[in-house]
């Protein structure tokens, strides 16, 4: 089983739609979870950390299910500017805790 | 603040040539990382430096060397470039806190012919 798995998409949605991305991770000892956003030909940028209780930042909601080793990102009222690739990221438990494992990303395209 | 800077932005090498990719940060972060990103492969860790004076191998270290010159700078060297090293290279930094979020430079696009 790969360490961090995501549906590669692409997800093509109209403006204003709600879209959800899912991610599973294999190491049950992982402690830190993130969603990063990567625009075409740009560097990844931290979108939000994911906390055990779930957290919200404006139109974005992230949830963590440790029992199922599952992370989700919900985007409400999609904007054209949300078009990007969304990377699920998990820290590597054991060894250097600062090392992160990146999923391959889910591509989102928001259409007018 | 510039954050994380990388030079050069683009580079074309011939097989067998050497080069050094430079990374500098003004975020006062302890840890620095080098990744490569290939289509369909996601980001893969090449080397990292948890703190000044230490370096360790990541997932794909073969063909690369690194130097943590000081707290601000972390360089990646290709001694004898191969076409398989054609990729986009990202440097990242993190402050070694409990959450470990990383901040990336703009990347270097390297083509080896």
């Amino acid at each position: 089983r790969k360490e961090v798995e995501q549906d590669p998409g692409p997800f093509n949605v109209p403006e204003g739609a709600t879209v959800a991305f899912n991610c599973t991770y294999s190491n049950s000892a992982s402690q830190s979870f993130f969603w990063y956003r990567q625009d075409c030909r740009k560097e990844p940028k931290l979108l939000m950390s994911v906390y055990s209780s779930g957290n919200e930042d404006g139109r974005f909601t992230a949830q963590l299910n440790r029992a199922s080793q599952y992370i989700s990102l919900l985007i409400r009222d999609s904007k054209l500017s949300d078009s990007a690739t969304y990377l699920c990221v998990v820290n590597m438990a054991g060894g250097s805790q600062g090392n992160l494992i990146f999923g391959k990303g889910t591509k989102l395209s928001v259409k007018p | 603040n510039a954050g994380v800077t990388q030079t050069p932005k683009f580079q074309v090498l011939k097989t067998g040539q050497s080069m050094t990719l430079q990374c500098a940060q003004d975020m006062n972060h302890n840890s620095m990382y080098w990744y490569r990103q290939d289509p369909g492969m996601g980001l893969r860790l090449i080397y990292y430096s948890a703190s000044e004076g230490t370096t360790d191998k990541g997932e794909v270290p073969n063909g690369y060397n690194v130097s943590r010159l000081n707290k601000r700078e972390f360089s990646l060297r290709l001694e004898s470039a191969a076409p398989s090293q054609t990729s986009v290279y990202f440097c990242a930094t993190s402050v070694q806190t409990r959450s470990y979020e990383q901040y990336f430079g703009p990347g270097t696009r390297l083509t080896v012919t």
Side-chain angles (χ1 to χ4, degrees), chain A residues 104, chain B residues 36-44 84 86-88 109:
Chain A
K104 294 181 182 179
Chain B
R36 59 178 290 173
Q37 187 174 38
D38 303 295
M41 296 295 293
L43 281 155
R44 291 183 292 169
S84 61
T86 293
S87 189
V88 181
R109 295 185 176 275

Side-chain angles (χ1 to χ4, degrees), chain A residues 32 34 36 38 41-44 46 49 87 91 96-100 102-104, chain B residues 33 35 37 40-43 45 48 90 96 98-102 104-106 109:
Chain A
S32 301
F34 310 94
Y36 276 71
Q38 186 172 24
R41 300 179 71 83
K42 297 288 190 180
E43 72 272 24
L46 179 67
S49 300
L87 308 176
N91 83 305
S96 173
Q97 295 291 305
N99 287 358
L100 301 181
F102 287 77
K104 294 181 182 179
Chain B
Y33 310 82
Y35 293 90
Q37 187 174 38
M41 296 295 293
L43 281 155
L45 183 65
Y48 66 98
F90 289 104
Q96 202 73 2
R98 190 169 171 270
S99 58
Y100 306 116
E101 59 259 28
Q102 294 182 10
F104 285 78
R109 295 185 176 275

Side-chain angles (χ1 to χ4, degrees), chain A residues 6 10 17-18 31 34 38 40 44 50 62 85 97 99-100 105 107 109:
Chain A
Q6 297 181 249
T18 295
Q31 296 172 4
F34 310 94
Q38 186 172 24
C40 187
V50 186
T85 297
Q97 295 291 305
N99 287 358
L100 301 181
K107 187 171 182 179
S109 181

